[in-house]
Amino acid sequence: MSIRNIAIDKSANLSIDIVVCDASGAPIDFTLYTANACYKTHADAANVTYMTTNGYSNGVLNVSLTGVETANISISRYMYEVYATHTASNTTSRVQEGIFTVRGGLC
């Protein structure tokens, strides 16, 4: 699991590739997983918003939001996490977490 803080301008597209390898250094085949990413204002917040995730066999997990989606997010800081569930074993692992900041223009 890694920690990565993300900052994006309101109304901009977001696309982040997360590369994940197992303990031996081999890329994880994310086609064998169901991946999810979400953010919320704080750990105890009831409202959770999900981001688009796509997993690939080369160890890459992509998380994205469109400019239309980020235009509808209030300028603020949020907590986010990305997690994956192995479809055969139903085991869930957190892949990445951090602070997600949506910035606005000053003028």
Side-chain angles (χ1 to χ4, degrees):
M1 197 270 310
S2 66
I3 297 174
R4 179 178 178 186
N5 295 330
I6 301 167
I8 185 169
D9 293 327
K10 190 172 177 76
S11 301
N13 292 326
L14 171 69
S15 180
I16 297 171
D17 286 336
I18 303 165
V19 179
V20 183
C21 297
D22 64 17
S24 69
I28 292 177
D29 182 356
F30 279 111
T31 63
L32 304 174
Y33 290 77
T34 301
N36 289 290
C38 64
Y39 66 91
K40 55 186 179 175
T41 54
H42 56 86
D44 296 329
N47 293 333
V48 176
T49 304
Y50 288 88
M51 298 181 265
T52 302
T53 56
N54 291 296
Y56 303 96
S57 60
N58 63 352
V60 174
L61 184 61
N62 179 268
V63 178
S64 63
L65 289 168
T66 66
V68 172
E69 290 171 317
T70 64
N72 292 313
I73 302 172
S74 298
I75 297 169
S76 189
R77 288 173 31 152
Y78 303 88
M79 299 176 69
Y80 82 94
E81 69 178 2
V82 181
Y83 53 96
T85 302
H86 190 270
T87 52
S89 67
N90 202 32
T91 304
T92 300
S93 299
R94 186 176 299 146
V95 176
Q96 187 168 287
E97 66 180 25
I99 303 297
F100 172 58
T101 303
V102 179
R103 301 178 298 214
L106 296 176
C107 299

